[in-house]
Amino acid sequence: MIKVYSFFSSTTVQINNSIYNSIANNSNKIFRNNNSLILKLNFQQQQQRANTEILKRYYSGNCCNSNIYNKMNTFSSLLFYNENNNKVLMVKNNINKLYKAVPHSFFGFPSLSSPEPTQLHEQQQNQQQKDSPPPTITTTKTNDKLLLNNKFYSSQLQLDKIEKVFNNRNSFKRDNIYYLGSLVTPYYLEQVKRCYFDYYLIIVKDSNCINKNKLETVLVDSISPTDPASSGGTKEKTLDISMEWKEPSEFLKEFNAHRKFITPESQYLLKMLSLFSKTNNDLLAISEDKNNLGITIPLEFAPHIESIPVRSNTLLPFNSTNLIISQNDSHILLVDPGANKEGSIHMCNIIEKKLLNYLKKFINNNNNNIEIKNDDNNNNNNNNNNNNNNNNSNEEIEEENKKILEGKHISIFITHNHKDHWEGIGILEKHFPEATIYAHEKTLKNVESTLKKVAVSGFQLKDKESVDNFLNEIKTPTEIKQLDCHTNEKLYIGNGGDRIFHIVSTPGHTDDSLCLFENTSKTLIAGDHIVGFGSSVLDFHTGDMVEYIDSTHGMINYLCPKIAIPAHGPLNFDPIILLNNYIKHRLLREEEILNAYKSGKTSLTEILDVVYGNLEPTLSFMAMGNIKLHLQKLKKENKI
């Protein structure tokens, strides 16, 4: 028997004595309409079969390290680099949502599908870390394998295709290709394939050497219409790209100015290109292990907003909760620290190697600026009291720095009361005893912590005018300091108030659900209102289908997000489409439930059989909770 966190009860309990009994206990709660019984719960008969299936699912879900390459899209990512003007080529995927190498509307490096990576890659990386010679490609072939820096590799780099994208094939010099290393996108769940990238730098002399139409033709072969993780869009194998040659720093500036979407892996390579040398012995890109994910390579999809999946006691098919991080000046925002025991090492590494290093770097830079200012003052002022004043000032600075390292300016935001969103709070409390927790008052009652707690309720999404005024309200740095960098509806991250996270009331998944919205990048930190795969499950104790749909309409009509970060699973870059699909799905399901009820199917199990058919036992209890909430909605609307 395993122990699994039940988000319905906010406790970690035995699965067959909590979730199923939690539903079964509702069998005595009935709803009457015209004196007829419409709900009767009978679920115990499926319990044993469901538990057996959950055990199988649980262990198969820990598949991060088994047959890893079978669960990936693998690419050879090409960095065409003009060494004469220090410019690199990036392409924008304009229309196709099935080209996994570069997400729709993002800029990235043109990438070709390649055969699955072999163990030789890992051996080469290990050798590279031991200062082996820099990798270069030669034209030598043995048994259909390319010779890369005197090491055999599978023929994954398709030189014939690369040659085709040049206007003049004589411009393509095979000796000008360098292997930079490999990166892999994070693991979220078994159903979503990860992307594995081998990066190759191709040095050219002229930015006009690459033909756009030829490049599109070559890249189109990398589109996989059968990928189960596709988010919709055209299923045709067509591709429309835009090409831009710019210095790496220019691409990064445009990302930080909210003018371009660039994936974290591409951002990292752009930053690392400045270290490239034809005689450099080190790889520029080496993937992080699961306990260091997001530390060296920031998982930053919107400017200054990172999302790191950390293992948690959440519900399958997920096994992690996304820890959201935003850093500015001496301030840090952390959202949903849900790390369980297995994720505690990862969480500690994030704190010690990332957050504390960031704060120490800020303190050092700040101290240097203060020293320069003091030197200038001393040079311009001969007052004998200067030394005494400086000593007093230094003591105050040291005390302030100590408080900064203890988390004085760290804001911990929790989206709702389910424990997989705050279980790691004890780890943060140990390192940052001066941090502050912000959450709904109902959430704070469940959170076990001695940290300072501040209840917030968020802004209600009622009409466009009030929401626009709310999002565009401006306060001065002095006003923000007087507010202690927060209000009931906003968190100010940084000393100048230039980064604002708007707290939005979004009940539905639970009655205490809150989201954060960053208006400049139009990024929605959505908690469990959405998930990265499938649809969100509402808590059938405190959730409400009417409120969920109303909140979803508010997000679509008034927030208009461009990026949505769920608490579980990968990010979504078409959140308006996703949210509209959520509503359509819910209303279609509701129509089916209503028709089943009107046909005389009055118990949850009867409706379950009609609406969901042969549903897996592991999902039946969630489906029954969903049916219950829909029936409550229909009753409120006087439809039953």
Side-chain angles (χ1 to χ4, degrees):
M1 186 64 63
I2 61 170
K3 291 188 176 182
V4 178
Y5 171 69
S6 165
F7 66 75
F8 302 119
S9 60
S10 299
T11 55
T12 305
V13 290
Q14 287 188 335
I15 189 80
N16 68 339
N17 290 329
S18 63
I19 299 179
Y20 294 111
N21 287 344
S22 179
I23 299 178
N25 289 338
N26 283 299
S27 60
N28 295 325
K29 298 178 181 179
I30 58 175
F31 300 82
R32 294 188 180 276
N33 183 36
N34 297 327
N35 297 319
S36 63
L37 179 66
I38 66 169
L39 277 183
K40 183 179 179 182
L41 186 57
N42 178 14
F43 193 64
Q44 295 294 332
Q45 59 193 11
Q46 301 184 53
Q47 180 173 332
Q48 188 58 46
R49 280 193 304 137
N51 284 339
T52 302
E53 186 65 22
I54 286 176
L55 283 168
K56 289 165 58 180
R57 279 287 194 89
Y58 177 82
Y59 290 111
S60 66
N62 292 321
C63 60
C64 302
N65 297 317
S66 62
N67 300 321
I68 186 170
Y69 297 129
N70 294 329
K71 304 178 186 302
M72 292 189 184
N73 297 306
T74 57
F75 298 98
S76 295
S77 200
L78 312 176
L79 283 71
F80 293 101
Y81 175 72
N82 186 339
E83 63 180 350
N84 290 329
N85 59 15
N86 189 36
K87 292 184 177 181
V88 66
L89 173 66
M90 296 195 84
V91 298
K92 180 185 178 184
N93 176 5
N94 291 319
I95 62 169
N96 200 299
K97 298 177 184 178
L98 301 175
Y99 181 50
K100 299 303 177 184
V102 182
H104 173 238
S105 299
F106 272 66
F107 277 81
F109 302 115
S111 301
L112 305 175
S113 289
S114 61
E116 295 177 356
T118 66
Q119 197 67 21
L120 287 173
H121 285 77
E122 297 176 8
Q123 293 174 3
Q124 200 278 341
Q125 288 190 5
N126 292 335
Q127 291 169 354
Q128 187 67 24
Q129 290 174 298
K130 296 177 181 178
D131 295 329
S132 63
T136 58
I137 288 182
T138 73
T139 57
T140 305
K141 288 191 176 183
T142 304
N143 296 329
D144 294 326
K145 292 183 178 179
L146 285 174
L147 186 65
L148 176 62
N149 193 40
N150 299 319
K151 299 180 181 67
F152 288 125
Y153 274 75
S154 300
S155 333
Q156 60 179 19
L157 188 58
Q158 303 162 64
L159 298 179
D160 56 335
K161 288 188 176 182
I162 297 174
E163 193 174 41
K164 289 179 182 178
V165 308
F166 283 81
N167 285 314
N168 182 349
R169 294 194 177 187
N170 293 329
S171 302
F172 176 48
K173 306 295 183 183
R174 299 188 177 195
D175 290 338
N176 283 339
I177 302 178
Y178 296 84
Y179 174 60
L180 301 180
S182 305
L183 294 178
V184 61
T185 55
Y187 175 86
Y188 291 104
L189 70 161
E190 186 177 3
Q191 290 88 335
V192 175
K193 279 191 173 184
R194 304 165 75 185
C195 290
Y196 185 103
F197 296 97
D198 286 315
Y199 292 97
Y200 298 92
L201 186 72
I202 303 176
I203 296 178
V204 299
K205 303 291 185 181
D206 180 9
S207 297
N208 294 318
C209 65
I210 304 299
N211 184 290
K212 176 180 177 293
N213 292 332
K214 292 179 179 179
L215 183 59
E216 283 179 346
T217 301
V218 169
L219 296 182
V220 78
D221 292 336
S222 298
I223 297 174
S224 175
T226 60
D227 190 337
S230 67
S231 60
T234 177
K235 294 185 180 299
E236 298 177 3
K237 295 192 72 173
T238 58
L239 193 63
D240 174 48
I241 62 171
S242 303
M243 290 178 23
E244 289 190 18
W245 288 86
K246 290 184 178 179
E247 293 186 19
S249 60
E250 286 301 310
F251 280 118
L252 292 170
K253 284 180 183 177
E254 291 188 337
F255 169 79
N256 288 321
H258 309 277
R259 294 199 296 270
K260 277 183 171 60
F261 289 136
I262 304 175
T263 63
E265 295 78 24
S266 297
Q267 290 178 56
Y268 184 72
L269 264 296
L270 288 169
K271 295 172 185 175
M272 298 300 289
L273 275 178
S274 62
L275 302 179
F276 172 75
S277 168
K278 294 179 182 179
T279 59
N280 194 337
N281 292 333
D282 297 324
L283 287 174
L284 299 186
I286 300 177
S287 292
E288 299 169 300
D289 63 51
K290 66 178 182 179
N291 287 328
N292 289 284
L293 181 68
I295 294 175
T296 301
I297 305 171
L299 297 176
E300 184 179 2
F301 290 89
H304 316 295
I305 303 175
E306 303 174 45
S307 175
I308 306 175
V310 180
R311 291 301 289 265
S312 66
N313 288 320
T314 192
L315 291 179
L316 294 173
F318 304 103
N319 64 7
S320 63
T321 299
N322 293 327
L323 175 69
I324 315 300
I325 301 174
S326 184
Q327 303 171 135
N328 191 22
D329 298 328
S330 61
H331 294 239
I332 298 176
L333 170 67
L334 302 171
V335 182
D336 285 350
N340 62 3
K341 184 176 181 180
E342 190 174 351
S344 60
I345 296 176
H346 187 193
M347 188 73 174
C348 287
N349 286 341
I350 291 172
I351 292 170
E352 294 168 4
K353 298 179 182 180
K354 186 179 185 73
L355 304 183
L356 282 172
N357 278 353
Y358 170 81
L359 292 176
K360 289 174 182 177
K361 183 178 179 180
F362 170 83
I363 289 171
N364 288 336
N365 291 339
N366 197 44
N367 288 347
N368 291 336
N369 291 335
I370 291 173
E371 288 177 5
I372 293 172
K373 185 176 180 180
N374 287 341
D375 289 342
D376 291 340
N377 289 337
N378 288 336
N379 291 334
N380 296 325
N381 195 335
N382 295 320
N383 193 324
N384 293 330
N385 292 326
N386 276 349
N387 289 334
N388 291 332
N389 292 336
N390 286 342
N391 289 335
N392 293 334
S393 177
N394 288 337
E395 291 177 1
E396 293 174 358
I397 292 170
E398 288 179 6
E399 181 63 24
E400 177 65 16
N401 290 341
K402 179 176 178 292
K403 289 182 178 180
I404 288 175
L405 292 175
E406 290 177 346
K408 175 185 178 182
H409 297 150
I410 291 181
S411 302
I412 304 168
F413 185 83
I414 303 172
T415 55
H416 61 287
N417 70 79
H418 294 157
K419 195 174 182 181
D420 58 326
H421 293 255
W422 56 265
E423 188 173 358
I425 204 79
I427 303 173
L428 290 173
E429 184 177 323
K430 178 181 177 181
H431 288 84
F432 301 120
E434 296 294 320
T436 302
I437 302 173
Y438 297 90
H440 194 283
E441 61 179 351
K442 292 182 180 179
T443 302
L444 293 178
K445 291 178 181 178
N446 285 335
V447 175
E448 303 160 1
S449 177
T450 60
L451 293 176
K452 178 184 176 182
K453 299 178 180 180
V454 176
V456 292
S457 59
F459 188 83
Q460 295 185 348
L461 302 175
K462 294 298 184 184
D463 60 82
K464 182 170 175 44
E465 183 179 358
S466 65
V467 173
D468 286 345
N469 291 336
F470 164 64
L471 295 176
N472 297 318
E473 179 189 26
I474 297 175
K475 292 188 180 297
T476 65
T478 301
E479 290 175 320
I480 293 170
K481 188 174 181 179
Q482 291 173 346
L483 293 168
D484 197 20
C485 293
H486 80 276
T487 69
N488 188 45
E489 298 164 344
K490 297 187 182 185
L491 293 177
Y492 297 90
I493 305 303
N495 297 323
D498 56 328
R499 194 172 307 159
I500 306 171
F501 289 86
H502 301 83
I503 306 169
V504 182
S505 175
T506 54
H509 173 70
T510 61
D511 59 0
D512 60 353
S513 289
L514 300 172
C515 293
L516 291 179
F517 185 68
E518 203 286 311
N519 193 37
T520 307
S521 62
K522 297 291 182 182
T523 298
L524 177 68
I525 301 173
D528 279 354
H529 195 89
I530 67 169
V531 288
F533 184 85
S535 59
S536 180
V537 177
L538 276 59
D539 184 328
F540 55 77
H541 287 320
T542 66
D544 188 289
M545 192 63 67
V546 175
E547 291 185 334
Y548 181 83
I549 292 177
D550 286 346
S551 295
T552 306
H553 278 300
M555 293 175 180
I556 296 168
N557 297 328
Y558 309 137
L559 296 182
C560 306
K562 294 182 178 178
I563 296 178
I565 308 178
H568 310 289
L571 285 71
N572 187 280
F573 308 115
D574 287 301
I576 300 297
I577 294 175
L578 176 73
L579 292 167
N580 275 312
N581 286 339
Y582 271 16
I583 293 174
K584 291 177 184 177
H585 168 73
R586 297 285 181 184
L587 295 181
L588 284 173
R589 184 70 75 194
E590 183 175 292
E591 184 178 357
E592 293 172 342
I593 291 170
L594 178 60
N595 290 336
Y597 168 74
K598 287 182 176 180
S599 71
K601 307 297 183 182
T602 57
S603 73
L604 290 186
T605 49
E606 288 175 329
I607 296 174
L608 178 74
D609 290 339
V610 172
V611 174
Y612 289 91
N614 296 322
L615 192 65
E616 293 183 25
T618 51
L619 303 177
S620 293
F621 74 93
M622 294 184 187
M624 286 194 182
N626 187 50
I627 293 170
K628 173 189 170 183
L629 292 174
H630 274 294
L631 289 170
Q632 289 175 332
K633 175 178 181 290
L634 291 168
K635 190 172 187 299
K636 287 181 181 178
E637 296 169 345
N638 296 319
K639 294 181 180 179
I640 57 175

